[in-house]
Amino acid sequence: LRAAETLREQGFTGSLTMIGDEPYEPYDRPPLSKQALLGRARPEDTALPRRRDIDAEWCLGVAAESLDRAAKQVRLANGDTVPYDRLLITTGTRARPWFHPEEAALDGVFGLRTRDDSARLRRKLTGGVSRVLVIGAGFTGSEVASACRELGLQVTVAERGPAPLVGALGGVIGAVADRLQRKHGVDLRCGVSVTALEGDDVGRLRRAHLSDGSAIDVDVAVVSLGAMRNTEWLAGSGVAAGPRGIACDAGCRVFDVNGIVTDDIYAVGDVARSPHPLFDYQFLALEHWGNAVEQAEIAAHNMLCAGPDRRPHLWLPMFWSTQFGV
Ligand SMILES: Cc1cc2nc3c(=O)[nH]c(=O)nc-3n(C[C@H](O)[C@H](O)[C@H](O)COP(=O)(O)OP(=O)(O)OC[C@H]3O[C@@H](n4cnc5c(N)ncnc54)[C@H](O)[C@@H]3O)c2cc1C
């Protein structure tokens, strides 16, 4: 949405097609693990504010299934094809599922990425459950644990690392997050993994088994094991896309599989990874809201202008989170 708005702001008058596999117009994800779980915002009220009219054709509820670079077209799951002069890929990430499909299918096991996930989880949390297990203490897991405590629920957080948020923020802030969770009544168990989820005979989650040999009775498990990049649909397209994201230059132009930069395909947001001069030109993938917005504006600008006027995406990595009143 931000890219589309920027294209129009910068004078693009041609045709613009927006493709999205969710049935909804673009919405905000950060409230889904915070205000929406607490009932302070409804998931259906999280539509992103519009800065301007984008005069686009919308193909919603239909996935892009493949990319044909030679023909310059995207094929959709319903068989339609959409031609392009410039393509911007912003397919983001999805929640990493629980590794055991039968256990993942138990009633009471949740992931959290979409508006529908958040609405389902809120219904469950406010429907008379008492004991919640959060698997993984990254940002989403820690925020869900915080919301559960605010809702008055007993919550256990199981984290394989030595402290919450340690992967993103390191040991010093991890120790602060550890104290914060315990102070707010979280049963925090670090250095352990959940090894199995057990259901009763009607398929409802009842118990979780941990790597230290313990087991806990739970009604709900929220799987918060990070994200997987939505790049599978690009298999065979010849662009440099894989589990680590889509490689692009600092101007958001996608590389092909030979490491040659394309000039008509761009990628931004959670799915993109690009070299950053501040970090020795390492390819960084940043899964944060502010990055997605700024990179989208840069890509839109670069999609419209010639070489010397292009701008690099040199964002200083930053994010926010709200947990336990902090
Ligand atoms: C619960 C939650 C809380 C968050 N909280 C914060 C926070 O507090 N602070 C912060 O900085 N960031 C936060 N984030 C991260 C932030 O929301 C993301 O960085 C941002 O949404 C990335 O935007 P995006 O457009 O790159 O991808 P997305 O928002 O993931 O959008 C990608 C869209 O593409 C669709 N799609 C995927 N594949 C296809 C396909 N083949 N065809 C068509 N459509 C497809 C997806 O369904 C999705 O709708 C949070 C994320 C979540 C899930």
Side-chain angles (χ1 to χ4, degrees), residues 19-22 27-34 62-65 90-93 112-114 140 143 230 233 268-271 286-290 292 318-322:
I19 303 167
D21 61 1
E22 292 187 75
Y27 61 86
D28 215 10
R29 293 183 200 278
L32 301 180
S33 50
K34 309 176 185 72
V62 56
E65 227 175 33
T90 68
T91 44
T93 60
L112 179 53
R113 178 81 199 169
T114 68
T140 304
E143 290 174 3
N230 293 321
W233 70 280
V268 302
D270 286 12
V271 78
L286 298 164
E287 294 173 35
H288 298 303
W289 196 97
M318 66 108 181
F319 64 90
W320 77 92
S321 174
T322 313

CSV table of all heavy atoms in Angstrom, one decimal, residues 19-22 27-34 62-65 90-93 112-114 140 143 230 233 268-271 286-290 292 318-322, ligand 1:
chain,number,residue,atom,x,y,z
A,19,ILE,N,-2.1,-7.4,-5.9
A,19,ILE,CA,-2.5,-8.8,-5.7
A,19,ILE,C,-2.2,-9.2,-4.3
A,19,ILE,O,-1.1,-9.0,-3.7
A,19,ILE,CB,-1.6,-9.6,-6.6
A,19,ILE,CG1,-1.7,-9.2,-8.1
A,19,ILE,CG2,-1.9,-11.1,-6.5
A,19,ILE,CD1,-0.6,-9.8,-9.0
A,20,GLY,N,-3.2,-9.8,-3.6
A,20,GLY,CA,-3.0,-10.3,-2.3
A,20,GLY,C,-3.8,-11.5,-2.0
A,20,GLY,O,-5.0,-11.6,-2.4
A,21,ASP,N,-3.2,-12.5,-1.3
A,21,ASP,CA,-3.9,-13.8,-1.1
A,21,ASP,C,-4.9,-13.7,0.0
A,21,ASP,O,-5.8,-14.6,0.1
A,21,ASP,CB,-2.9,-15.0,-1.0
A,21,ASP,CG,-2.0,-14.8,0.2
A,21,ASP,OD1,-2.1,-13.8,0.9
A,21,ASP,OD2,-1.2,-15.7,0.4
A,22,GLU,N,-4.7,-12.7,0.9
A,22,GLU,CA,-5.7,-12.6,2.0
A,22,GLU,C,-6.9,-11.8,1.4
A,22,GLU,O,-6.8,-11.0,0.4
A,22,GLU,CB,-5.2,-11.8,3.1
A,22,GLU,CG,-4.1,-12.6,3.9
A,22,GLU,CD,-3.6,-11.8,5.1
A,22,GLU,OE1,-4.4,-11.9,6.1
A,22,GLU,OE2,-2.6,-11.2,5.1
A,27,TYR,N,-3.8,-4.3,6.0
A,27,TYR,CA,-4.1,-4.0,7.5
A,27,TYR,C,-2.8,-4.0,8.2
A,27,TYR,O,-1.7,-4.5,7.8
A,27,TYR,CB,-5.1,-4.9,8.0
A,27,TYR,CG,-4.8,-6.4,8.0
A,27,TYR,CD1,-4.0,-6.9,9.1
A,27,TYR,CD2,-5.1,-7.2,7.0
A,27,TYR,CE1,-3.7,-8.3,9.1
A,27,TYR,CE2,-4.8,-8.5,7.0
A,27,TYR,CZ,-4.1,-9.1,8.0
A,27,TYR,OH,-3.7,-10.4,8.0
A,28,ASP,N,-2.9,-3.5,9.5
A,28,ASP,CA,-1.8,-3.4,10.4
A,28,ASP,C,-1.6,-4.6,11.2
A,28,ASP,O,-2.5,-5.1,11.9
A,28,ASP,CB,-2.1,-2.2,11.3
A,28,ASP,CG,-1.0,-1.4,11.7
A,28,ASP,OD1,0.1,-1.5,11.1
A,28,ASP,OD2,-1.1,-0.5,12.6
A,29,ARG,N,-0.4,-5.2,11.2
A,29,ARG,CA,-0.2,-6.4,12.0
A,29,ARG,C,0.2,-6.1,13.5
A,29,ARG,O,-0.2,-6.9,14.4
A,29,ARG,CB,0.9,-7.3,11.4
A,29,ARG,CG,0.4,-7.9,10.1
A,29,ARG,CD,1.3,-8.9,9.4
A,29,ARG,NE,1.0,-8.9,8.0
A,29,ARG,CZ,0.0,-9.7,7.5
A,29,ARG,NH1,-0.7,-10.5,8.3
A,29,ARG,NH2,-0.2,-9.7,6.2
A,30,PRO,N,1.0,-5.1,13.8
A,30,PRO,CA,1.4,-5.0,15.2
A,30,PRO,C,0.3,-5.0,16.3
A,30,PRO,O,0.5,-5.7,17.3
A,30,PRO,CB,2.1,-3.6,15.2
A,30,PRO,CG,2.8,-3.5,13.8
A,30,PRO,CD,1.7,-4.2,12.9
A,31,PRO,N,-0.9,-4.5,16.0
A,31,PRO,CA,-1.9,-4.6,17.1
A,31,PRO,C,-2.4,-6.0,17.3
A,31,PRO,O,-3.1,-6.3,18.3
A,31,PRO,CB,-3.1,-3.7,16.5
A,31,PRO,CG,-2.5,-2.9,15.4
A,31,PRO,CD,-1.4,-3.7,14.9
A,32,LEU,N,-2.2,-6.9,16.3
A,32,LEU,CA,-2.8,-8.2,16.4
A,32,LEU,C,-2.3,-9.0,17.6
A,32,LEU,O,-3.0,-9.9,18.1
A,32,LEU,CB,-2.5,-9.0,15.1
A,32,LEU,CG,-3.0,-8.4,13.8
A,32,LEU,CD1,-2.6,-9.3,12.6
A,32,LEU,CD2,-4.5,-8.2,13.9
A,33,SER,N,-1.1,-8.7,18.1
A,33,SER,CA,-0.6,-9.4,19.3
A,33,SER,C,-0.6,-8.6,20.5
A,33,SER,O,-0.1,-8.9,21.6
A,33,SER,CB,0.9,-9.8,19.1
A,33,SER,OG,1.7,-8.7,18.6
A,34,LYS,N,-1.3,-7.4,20.4
A,34,LYS,CA,-1.3,-6.5,21.5
A,34,LYS,C,-2.8,-6.1,21.7
A,34,LYS,O,-3.6,-6.8,22.3
A,34,LYS,CB,-0.4,-5.2,21.2
A,34,LYS,CG,1.0,-5.6,20.8
A,34,LYS,CD,1.8,-4.4,20.4
A,34,LYS,CE,3.2,-4.7,19.9
A,34,LYS,NZ,3.2,-5.2,18.5
A,62,VAL,N,-6.6,-14.0,-3.8
A,62,VAL,CA,-6.0,-14.9,-4.8
A,62,VAL,C,-4.5,-14.7,-4.8
A,62,VAL,O,-4.0,-13.6,-4.8
A,62,VAL,CB,-6.6,-14.6,-6.2
A,62,VAL,CG1,-6.5,-13.1,-6.7
A,62,VAL,CG2,-6.0,-15.5,-7.3
A,63,ALA,N,-3.8,-15.9,-4.7
A,63,ALA,CA,-2.4,-15.8,-4.6
A,63,ALA,C,-1.7,-15.7,-6.0
A,63,ALA,O,-2.2,-16.2,-7.0
A,63,ALA,CB,-1.9,-17.1,-3.9
A,64,ALA,N,-0.5,-15.0,-6.0
A,64,ALA,CA,0.4,-15.1,-7.1
A,64,ALA,C,1.0,-16.5,-7.1
A,64,ALA,O,1.6,-16.9,-6.0
A,64,ALA,CB,1.4,-14.0,-7.0
A,65,GLU,N,1.0,-17.2,-8.2
A,65,GLU,CA,1.5,-18.6,-8.1
A,65,GLU,C,2.8,-18.8,-8.8
A,65,GLU,O,3.6,-19.6,-8.5
A,65,GLU,CB,0.4,-19.5,-8.8
A,65,GLU,CG,0.1,-20.7,-8.0
A,65,GLU,CD,-1.0,-21.5,-8.6
A,65,GLU,OE1,-1.1,-21.6,-9.8
A,65,GLU,OE2,-1.7,-22.1,-7.8
A,90,THR,N,6.2,-8.1,-2.4
A,90,THR,CA,6.1,-7.8,-1.0
A,90,THR,C,5.3,-8.9,-0.3
A,90,THR,O,4.4,-8.6,0.5
A,90,THR,CB,5.4,-6.4,-0.7
A,90,THR,OG1,4.0,-6.6,-1.1
A,90,THR,CG2,6.0,-5.3,-1.6
A,91,THR,N,5.7,-10.2,-0.6
A,91,THR,CA,4.9,-11.3,0.0
A,91,THR,C,5.2,-11.6,1.4
A,91,THR,O,4.6,-12.5,2.0
A,91,THR,CB,5.0,-12.5,-0.9
A,91,THR,OG1,6.4,-12.7,-1.2
A,91,THR,CG2,4.3,-12.4,-2.2
A,92,GLY,N,6.1,-10.9,2.1
A,92,GLY,CA,6.2,-11.0,3.5
A,92,GLY,C,6.6,-12.4,4.0
A,92,GLY,O,7.3,-13.2,3.3
A,93,THR,N,6.1,-12.7,5.2
A,93,THR,CA,6.4,-14.0,5.9
A,93,THR,C,5.2,-14.6,6.4
A,93,THR,O,4.1,-13.9,6.4
A,93,THR,CB,7.4,-13.8,7.1
A,93,THR,OG1,6.8,-12.9,8.0
A,93,THR,CG2,8.7,-13.1,6.6
A,112,LEU,N,0.2,-17.0,15.1
A,112,LEU,CA,-0.3,-15.7,15.0
A,112,LEU,C,0.4,-14.9,14.0
A,112,LEU,O,1.6,-14.6,14.2
A,112,LEU,CB,-0.2,-15.0,16.4
A,112,LEU,CG,-0.7,-13.5,16.5
A,112,LEU,CD1,-2.1,-13.4,16.0
A,112,LEU,CD2,-0.6,-13.1,18.0
A,113,ARG,N,-0.2,-14.6,12.9
A,113,ARG,CA,0.3,-13.7,11.9
A,113,ARG,C,-0.7,-12.8,11.3
A,113,ARG,O,-0.5,-11.7,10.9
A,113,ARG,CB,1.0,-14.6,10.8
A,113,ARG,CG,1.6,-13.8,9.6
A,113,ARG,CD,2.9,-13.3,9.9
A,113,ARG,NE,3.3,-12.2,9.0
A,113,ARG,CZ,4.3,-11.4,9.1
A,113,ARG,NH1,5.2,-11.6,10.2
A,113,ARG,NH2,4.6,-10.5,8.3
A,114,THR,N,-1.9,-13.4,11.1
A,114,THR,CA,-3.0,-12.7,10.4
A,114,THR,C,-4.1,-12.2,11.3
A,114,THR,O,-4.2,-12.5,12.4
A,114,THR,CB,-3.6,-13.6,9.3
A,114,THR,OG1,-4.3,-14.6,10.0
A,114,THR,CG2,-2.6,-14.2,8.4
A,140,THR,N,6.8,-11.9,19.3
A,140,THR,CA,5.3,-12.3,19.3
A,140,THR,C,5.0,-13.1,20.5
A,140,THR,O,4.0,-12.8,21.2
A,140,THR,CB,5.0,-13.1,18.0
A,140,THR,OG1,5.4,-12.3,16.9
A,140,THR,CG2,3.5,-13.4,17.9
A,143,GLU,N,4.9,-10.8,23.6
A,143,GLU,CA,3.7,-9.9,23.6
A,143,GLU,C,2.4,-10.7,23.9
A,143,GLU,O,1.5,-10.3,24.6
A,143,GLU,CB,3.6,-9.2,22.2
A,143,GLU,CG,4.7,-8.2,22.0
A,143,GLU,CD,4.7,-7.6,20.6
A,143,GLU,OE1,3.8,-7.9,19.8
A,143,GLU,OE2,5.6,-6.8,20.4
A,230,ASN,N,7.8,-15.9,2.5
A,230,ASN,CA,6.9,-16.4,1.4
A,230,ASN,C,7.5,-16.3,0.0
A,230,ASN,O,7.3,-15.3,-0.7
A,230,ASN,CB,5.6,-15.7,1.4
A,230,ASN,CG,4.8,-16.0,2.7
A,230,ASN,OD1,4.7,-17.1,3.2
A,230,ASN,ND2,4.2,-14.9,3.3
A,233,TRP,N,6.6,-19.4,-4.2
A,233,TRP,CA,5.9,-19.2,-5.4
A,233,TRP,C,6.8,-18.7,-6.5
A,233,TRP,O,6.5,-18.8,-7.7
A,233,TRP,CB,4.7,-18.2,-5.3
A,233,TRP,CG,5.2,-16.8,-5.0
A,233,TRP,CD1,5.6,-16.3,-3.8
A,233,TRP,CD2,5.2,-15.7,-5.9
A,233,TRP,NE1,5.9,-14.9,-4.0
A,233,TRP,CE2,5.7,-14.6,-5.3
A,233,TRP,CE3,4.9,-15.6,-7.3
A,233,TRP,CZ2,5.8,-13.3,-5.9
A,233,TRP,CZ3,5.1,-14.4,-7.9
A,233,TRP,CH2,5.6,-13.2,-7.2
A,268,VAL,N,10.6,-5.7,-1.4
A,268,VAL,CA,10.7,-4.9,-0.1
A,268,VAL,C,10.0,-5.6,1.0
A,268,VAL,O,9.2,-6.5,0.8
A,268,VAL,CB,10.1,-3.4,-0.2
A,268,VAL,CG1,10.8,-2.7,-1.3
A,268,VAL,CG2,8.6,-3.5,-0.4
A,269,GLY,N,10.3,-5.1,2.2
A,269,GLY,CA,9.6,-5.6,3.4
A,269,GLY,C,10.2,-6.9,4.0
A,269,GLY,O,11.3,-7.2,3.7
A,270,ASP,N,9.4,-7.6,4.7
A,270,ASP,CA,9.9,-8.8,5.4
A,270,ASP,C,10.5,-9.8,4.5
A,270,ASP,O,11.4,-10.6,4.9
A,270,ASP,CB,8.7,-9.5,6.2
A,270,ASP,CG,8.3,-8.7,7.5
A,270,ASP,OD1,8.7,-7.5,7.6
A,270,ASP,OD2,7.6,-9.3,8.3
A,271,VAL,N,10.1,-9.8,3.3
A,271,VAL,CA,10.6,-10.9,2.4
A,271,VAL,C,11.9,-10.5,1.7
A,271,VAL,O,12.6,-11.4,1.2
A,271,VAL,CB,9.5,-11.2,1.3
A,271,VAL,CG1,9.5,-10.1,0.2
A,271,VAL,CG2,9.7,-12.6,0.7
A,286,LEU,N,15.0,-7.5,7.5
A,286,LEU,CA,14.5,-6.9,8.7
A,286,LEU,C,13.0,-7.1,8.7
A,286,LEU,O,12.3,-6.6,7.9
A,286,LEU,CB,14.9,-5.4,8.7
A,286,LEU,CG,16.4,-5.1,8.7
A,286,LEU,CD1,16.7,-3.7,8.4
A,286,LEU,CD2,17.0,-5.5,10.1
A,287,GLU,N,12.5,-7.7,9.8
A,287,GLU,CA,11.1,-8.0,9.9
A,287,GLU,C,10.4,-7.0,10.8
A,287,GLU,O,9.9,-7.4,11.8
A,287,GLU,CB,10.9,-9.4,10.4
A,287,GLU,CG,11.4,-10.5,9.4
A,287,GLU,CD,11.3,-11.9,10.0
A,287,GLU,OE1,10.4,-12.1,10.8
A,287,GLU,OE2,12.2,-12.6,9.7
A,288,HIS,N,10.5,-5.7,10.4
A,288,HIS,CA,9.9,-4.7,11.2
A,288,HIS,C,9.1,-3.7,10.4
A,288,HIS,O,9.5,-3.4,9.2
A,288,HIS,CB,11.0,-3.9,12.0
A,288,HIS,CG,11.8,-4.8,13.0
A,288,HIS,ND1,11.1,-5.5,13.9
A,288,HIS,CD2,13.1,-5.1,13.1
A,288,HIS,CE1,12.0,-6.2,14.6
A,288,HIS,NE2,13.2,-5.9,14.1
A,289,TRP,N,8.1,-3.2,11.0
A,289,TRP,CA,7.1,-2.4,10.3
A,289,TRP,C,7.8,-1.1,9.6
A,289,TRP,O,7.5,-0.8,8.5
A,289,TRP,CB,6.1,-1.9,11.4
A,289,TRP,CG,4.8,-1.4,10.9
A,289,TRP,CD1,3.6,-2.0,10.8
A,289,TRP,CD2,4.5,0.0,10.6
A,289,TRP,NE1,2.6,-1.2,10.4
A,289,TRP,CE2,3.2,0.1,10.3
A,289,TRP,CE3,5.3,1.1,10.5
A,289,TRP,CZ2,2.5,1.2,9.9
A,289,TRP,CZ3,4.7,2.3,10.1
A,289,TRP,CH2,3.3,2.4,9.8
A,290,GLY,N,8.6,-0.4,10.4
A,290,GLY,CA,9.2,0.8,9.9
A,290,GLY,C,10.1,0.5,8.6
A,290,GLY,O,10.1,1.3,7.7
A,292,ALA,N,9.6,-1.9,6.5
A,292,ALA,CA,8.7,-2.2,5.3
A,292,ALA,C,8.2,-0.9,4.7
A,292,ALA,O,8.2,-0.8,3.5
A,292,ALA,CB,7.5,-3.1,5.8
A,318,MET,N,15.6,-0.5,13.4
A,318,MET,CA,14.9,-0.2,14.7
A,318,MET,C,13.5,-0.8,14.7
A,318,MET,O,13.0,-1.1,13.6
A,318,MET,CB,14.9,1.3,14.9
A,318,MET,CG,14.1,2.1,14.0
A,318,MET,SD,12.7,2.6,14.9
A,318,MET,CE,11.7,3.5,13.7
A,319,PHE,N,12.9,-0.9,15.9
A,319,PHE,CA,11.6,-1.5,16.0
A,319,PHE,C,11.0,-1.0,17.3
A,319,PHE,O,11.7,-0.4,18.1
A,319,PHE,CB,11.7,-3.0,16.0
A,319,PHE,CG,12.5,-3.5,17.2
A,319,PHE,CD1,11.8,-3.7,18.4
A,319,PHE,CD2,13.8,-3.5,17.3
A,319,PHE,CE1,12.5,-4.1,19.6
A,319,PHE,CE2,14.5,-3.8,18.4
A,319,PHE,CZ,13.8,-4.1,19.6
A,320,TRP,N,9.8,-1.3,17.5
A,320,TRP,CA,9.2,-1.1,18.8
A,320,TRP,C,8.4,-2.4,19.2
A,320,TRP,O,8.1,-3.2,18.3
A,320,TRP,CB,8.2,0.1,18.8
A,320,TRP,CG,6.9,-0.3,18.2
A,320,TRP,CD1,5.8,-0.7,18.8
A,320,TRP,CD2,6.6,-0.2,16.8
A,320,TRP,NE1,4.8,-0.9,17.9
A,320,TRP,CE2,5.2,-0.6,16.7
A,320,TRP,CE3,7.3,0.2,15.7
A,320,TRP,CZ2,4.6,-0.7,15.4
A,320,TRP,CZ3,6.6,0.2,14.4
A,320,TRP,CH2,5.3,-0.3,14.3
A,321,SER,N,8.2,-2.5,20.5
A,321,SER,CA,7.4,-3.6,21.0
A,321,SER,C,6.7,-3.1,22.3
A,321,SER,O,7.2,-2.2,22.9
A,321,SER,CB,8.3,-4.8,21.3
A,321,SER,OG,7.5,-5.9,21.9
A,322,THR,N,5.6,-3.7,22.6
A,322,THR,CA,4.9,-3.3,23.9
A,322,THR,C,4.7,-4.6,24.7
A,322,THR,O,4.0,-5.4,24.2
A,322,THR,CB,3.6,-2.6,23.6
A,322,THR,OG1,3.8,-1.6,22.6
A,322,THR,CG2,3.0,-1.9,24.9
B,1,LIG,C1,1.6,-10.3,15.4
B,1,LIG,C2,2.6,-9.3,14.8
B,1,LIG,C3,3.0,-8.2,15.6
B,1,LIG,C4,4.0,-7.3,15.1
B,1,LIG,N1,4.4,-6.3,15.9
B,1,LIG,C5,5.4,-5.4,15.4
B,1,LIG,C6,5.8,-4.4,16.2
B,1,LIG,O1,5.4,-4.2,17.4
B,1,LIG,N2,6.8,-3.5,15.7
B,1,LIG,C7,7.3,-3.7,14.5
B,1,LIG,O2,8.2,-3.0,14.1
B,1,LIG,N3,6.9,-4.7,13.7
B,1,LIG,C8,5.9,-5.6,14.1
B,1,LIG,N4,5.5,-6.7,13.3
B,1,LIG,C9,6.1,-6.8,12.0
B,1,LIG,C10,5.4,-6.1,10.9
B,1,LIG,O3,4.0,-6.3,11.0
B,1,LIG,C11,6.0,-6.5,9.6
B,1,LIG,O4,7.3,-6.1,9.5
B,1,LIG,C12,5.2,-6.0,8.4
B,1,LIG,O5,3.9,-6.5,8.4
B,1,LIG,C13,5.9,-6.4,7.1
B,1,LIG,O6,5.1,-5.9,6.0
B,1,LIG,P1,5.2,-6.6,4.6
B,1,LIG,O7,4.3,-5.8,3.7
B,1,LIG,O8,6.6,-6.8,4.2
B,1,LIG,O9,4.6,-8.1,4.7
B,1,LIG,P2,3.3,-8.6,5.3
B,1,LIG,O10,2.6,-7.7,6.2
B,1,LIG,O11,3.6,-10.0,5.8
B,1,LIG,O12,2.3,-8.7,4.0
B,1,LIG,C14,2.6,-9.7,3.0
B,1,LIG,C15,1.2,-10.0,2.4
B,1,LIG,O13,1.5,-10.8,1.2
B,1,LIG,C16,0.6,-11.9,1.2
B,1,LIG,N5,1.1,-13.0,0.3
B,1,LIG,C17,2.1,-13.9,0.6
B,1,LIG,N6,2.4,-14.7,-0.5
B,1,LIG,C18,1.5,-14.3,-1.5
B,1,LIG,C19,1.3,-14.7,-2.8
B,1,LIG,N7,2.0,-15.7,-3.4
B,1,LIG,N8,0.4,-14.0,-3.5
B,1,LIG,C20,-0.3,-13.0,-3.0
B,1,LIG,N9,-0.2,-12.6,-1.7
B,1,LIG,C21,0.8,-13.2,-1.0
B,1,LIG,C22,0.5,-12.3,2.6
B,1,LIG,O14,-0.7,-13.1,2.9
B,1,LIG,C23,0.4,-10.9,3.3
B,1,LIG,O15,-1.0,-10.5,3.2
B,1,LIG,C24,4.5,-7.5,13.8
B,1,LIG,C25,4.1,-8.6,13.0
B,1,LIG,C26,3.1,-9.5,13.5
B,1,LIG,C27,2.7,-10.7,12.7
